[in-house]
């Protein structure tokens, strides 16, 4: 059911992306810009935008450009992040800087960034609200840059607090989900209270989503589409690692780059038995609960139920 | 006189840049983002915006954020271009990716890009016009990416026509100057004819500016702040090289990376005597003349005179 409802909306998004992001000259630049977005992805963010518009009783067609702009921004950040993190694969295809080269990947990302702000102006609502939405989306992009910078700098810092970690993932991941949920309310000129409600729903769900992602890296098994324990091997200071450290548990393979299966298994068992995994899971659950409590201030509709179901899915998915 | 008039306006811009681009957390990211813009620059583009606003009889204070946004966009493109072109120095200081590293430079550029669109929304004019300006500026940013891509790809192509070269420099350099001149008219809701007039003035002056820049590389001597004949040694297919080739003149040091003084001198003499330098100079002059003819459709004011003087300066400067 949820799957069908998501599919129905992501099909609309797919068509709009193709309409707004046509092949153009220079051909290779546009191929590079469209490469990752064409390779798929769940279109989670634009679907949240459509559902948010429905949940406030408005016509989704008038804000489709905003939903597309958000998905394009998401893809721009992935292209640039992959360069910075030196990742070679994403969505089962070579990343843009690997398939082409770094200069092309930088430009492909920049092109998408610019396109997103161009497309946003196509929303069929009052100009004042488009200006507000543009300001919020631009500010969200600044925060995403800050979050990515913090994420990289944490690898060089010895001590990261739980608070610093939450601040980082909220900037890097959650604010764009918050924008996905609240931009429709801004575009339709809704009360600040409703805007805030949807922002908080997205921000807190997005935080839960990222914590769950970190948990999956450790106990997700084969389905996650990347190597088991890769965050641990890369030395990422996730909530789980921070909590284990607080409990005096040392993970030998942390930041080692590679490890034997037996060593990884040992690390995972340690993280489970010390309670760090359960701690992270309960944190994700708490953020989700708080996210949903925001939602309940909106009138009960099918769209609101679907937003709730998606939020539940975000921390129950096993890949 | 011209210098004083420019200085008067660039001081205003300087204050506004500092107001909108405050140091923030993470400190190093913002230091990197402000590095190049703090190192100076002529502030040519925002000064053109202020003069354009004056030339149409409007209050510059209401569109100062747009002028700042354009200067920030310019600096964002320089930071990313320097990574792509592997340039180590600009404005007498190490480039961002050299002073910090590539990931920080990518993020510093992205942060400026986002900031520019945020700042643009602060213009004190009708929201409809802010939306139009945002659309135009975003489209200009797309074109700048296309231009930079073309510039890089020309190095791998054997034959570049004059038309392709002009198209490339217009996208890479001239459209942002066109935006600098026309955005004020858009923001004040002026007739499409006035917008077009100022756009064309900027586009054609910007084209002349870039051709003159290519000439300076060859006959500019020591003042240009970079190595003599660096474009030739790097294998850049400028108008001069394209024209020399058409005349059957071969430049031995083209694309060779380095050369002896005597070889460079020989190349320059060849380019002068075959007429390729004069050809480029006359093309720059023709673009300038056409640029200025657009200006003459505006009422004669001090601001219009200054716009004309700046345009003249663009192709007479010797550094």
């Amino acid at each position: 059911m949820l799957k069908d409802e998501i599919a129905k909306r992501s099909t609309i998004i797919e068509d709009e992306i193709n309409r707004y992001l046509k092949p153009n000259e220079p051909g290779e630049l546009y191929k590079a810009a469209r490469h990752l977005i064409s390779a798929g992805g769940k279109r989670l963010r634009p679907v949240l935008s459509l559902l948010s518009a429905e949940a406030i009783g408005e016509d989704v067609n008038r804000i489709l450009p905003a939903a597309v702009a958000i998905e394009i921004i998401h893809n721009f950040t992935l292209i640039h992040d992959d360069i910075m993190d030196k990742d070679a694969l994403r969505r089962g295809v070579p990343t843009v800087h690997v398939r082409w080269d770094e200069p092309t990947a930088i430009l492909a990302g920049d092109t998408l960034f610019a396109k997103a702000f161009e497309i946003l102006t196509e929303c069929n609502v009052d100009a004042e609200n488009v200006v507000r939405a543009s300001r919020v989306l631009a500010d969200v992009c600044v925060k995403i840059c800050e979050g990515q910078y913090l994420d990289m700098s944490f690898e060089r810092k010895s001590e990261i607090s739980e608070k610093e970690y939450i601040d980082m993932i909220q900037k890097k991941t959650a604010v764009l989900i918050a924008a996905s949920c609240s931009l429709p309310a801004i575009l339709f000129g809704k009360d600040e209270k409703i805007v805030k409600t949807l922002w908080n729903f997205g921000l807190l769900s997005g935080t839960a989503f990222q914590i769950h992602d970190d948990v999956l890296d450790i106990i997700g098994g084969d389905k996650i589409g990347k190597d088991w324990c890769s965050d641990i091997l890369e030395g990422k200071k996730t909530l789980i690692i921070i909590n284990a450290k607080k409990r005096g548990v040392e993970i030998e393979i942390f930041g080692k780059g590679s490890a034997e299966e037996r060593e990884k298994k040992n690390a995972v068992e340690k993280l489970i038995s010390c309670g760090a995994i359960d701690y992270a899971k309960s944190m994700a659950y708490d953020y989700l609960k708080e996210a949903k409590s925001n939602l309940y201030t909106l009138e009960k509709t099918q769209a609101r139920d679907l937003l709730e179901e998606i939020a539940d899915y975000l921390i129950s998915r096993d890949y």
Side-chain angles (χ1 to χ4, degrees), chain A:
Chain A
M1 252 300 282
L2 176 65
K3 225 180 122 187
D4 295 340
E5 293 295 334
I6 290 178
K8 205 158 78 185
R9 288 164 184 86
S10 67
T11 309
I12 299 172
I13 296 297
E14 223 56 53
D15 292 346
E16 290 297 305
I17 289 173
N18 288 325
R19 202 163 72 82
Y20 280 112
L21 217 60
K22 289 205 180 74
N24 204 340
E25 288 301 321
E28 283 301 308
L29 174 62
Y30 281 88
K31 262 189 215 161
R34 290 159 44 94
H35 175 67
L36 205 54
I37 210 164
S38 307
K42 294 186 282 287
R43 312 298 186 218
L44 174 70
R45 291 159 191 79
V47 167
L48 285 172
S49 295
L50 301 198
L51 287 172
S52 296
E54 293 173 44
I56 54 174
E58 296 288 352
D59 177 8
V60 296
N61 294 307
R62 294 171 60 196
I63 56 97
L64 280 176
V68 172
I70 287 169
E71 182 66 13
I72 290 177
I73 294 277
H74 175 55
N75 278 272
F76 137 68
T77 64
L78 296 180
I79 293 175
H80 280 191
D81 282 3
D82 286 340
I83 306 173
M84 296 181 232
D85 299 342
K86 299 189 190 307
D87 284 328
L89 275 177
R90 177 171 308 260
R91 294 177 184 162
V93 297
T95 48
V96 178
H97 67 282
V98 167
R99 168 76 177 74
W100 283 269
D101 50 37
E102 283 195 24
T104 304
I106 292 172
L107 282 177
D110 292 346
T111 304
L112 290 181
F113 198 172
K115 277 277 173 195
F117 279 88
E118 193 182 344
I119 293 166
L120 182 64
T121 66
E122 300 292 333
C123 285
N124 183 19
V125 297
D126 287 350
E128 264 173 62
N129 297 326
V130 177
V131 173
R132 284 178 65 206
S134 187
R135 188 180 303 147
V136 169
L137 189 60
D139 185 49
V140 158
C141 290
V142 171
K143 289 205 168 65
I144 294 172
C145 293
E146 294 174 359
Q148 168 68 4
Y149 186 86
L150 289 173
D151 193 16
M152 294 190 305
S153 66
F154 282 4
E155 287 172 34
R156 296 187 293 265
K157 266 181 89 172
S158 60
E159 286 291 329
I160 302 298
S161 70
E162 201 176 292
K163 194 167 163 289
E164 287 174 307
Y165 166 81
I166 296 292
D167 177 58
M168 181 275 282
I169 63 167
Q170 288 196 328
K171 284 177 172 155
K172 184 172 169 161
T173 305
V175 289
L176 190 61
I177 296 178
S180 308
C181 298
S182 60
L183 238 44
I186 293 172
L187 287 162
F188 285 112
K190 297 285 167 187
D191 282 356
E192 195 47 46
K193 213 185 123 208
I194 292 179
V195 172
K196 195 79 192 155
T197 290
L198 283 160
W199 173 273
N200 285 340
F201 167 68
L203 185 76
L204 299 169
S205 306
T207 310
F209 168 75
Q210 186 57 53
I211 296 173
H212 184 68
D213 220 51
D214 295 343
V215 170
L216 283 182
D217 179 71
I218 294 170
I219 58 161
D222 296 336
K223 288 191 194 168
I224 54 171
K226 58 174 183 173
D227 283 345
W228 194 41
C229 293
S230 67
D231 287 350
I232 296 181
L233 293 170
E234 285 172 26
K236 291 246 174 213
K237 298 191 182 72
T238 65
L239 187 58
I240 300 149
I241 294 296
I242 295 167
N243 187 259
K245 200 172 175 187
K246 210 190 248 172
R247 292 169 194 265
V249 174
E250 210 187 309
I251 303 299
E252 291 80 3
I253 62 169
F254 184 74
K256 286 285 185 290
S258 66
E260 311 248 324
E261 278 306 295
R262 159 184 74 71
E263 293 173 302
K264 290 197 219 174
K265 220 173 151 185
N266 180 22
V268 171
E269 270 162 22
K270 263 186 168 179
L271 292 169
I272 292 173
S273 64
C274 78
I277 297 285
D278 276 344
Y279 179 79
K281 277 184 173 176
S282 80
M283 280 278 277
Y285 180 80
D286 289 347
Y287 274 106
L288 179 75
K289 205 175 142 191
E290 181 74 12
K292 294 201 294 187
S293 76
N294 273 279
L295 216 48
Y296 302 146
T297 64
L298 300 177
E299 204 183 319
K300 183 171 163 53
T301 57
Q302 192 214 10
R304 194 194 83 174
D305 288 346
L306 288 170
L307 285 173
E308 188 175 352
E309 281 183 58
I310 289 186
D312 284 332
Y313 159 76
L314 289 180
I315 76 155
S316 61
R317 75 207 154 89
D318 56 2
Y319 61 94

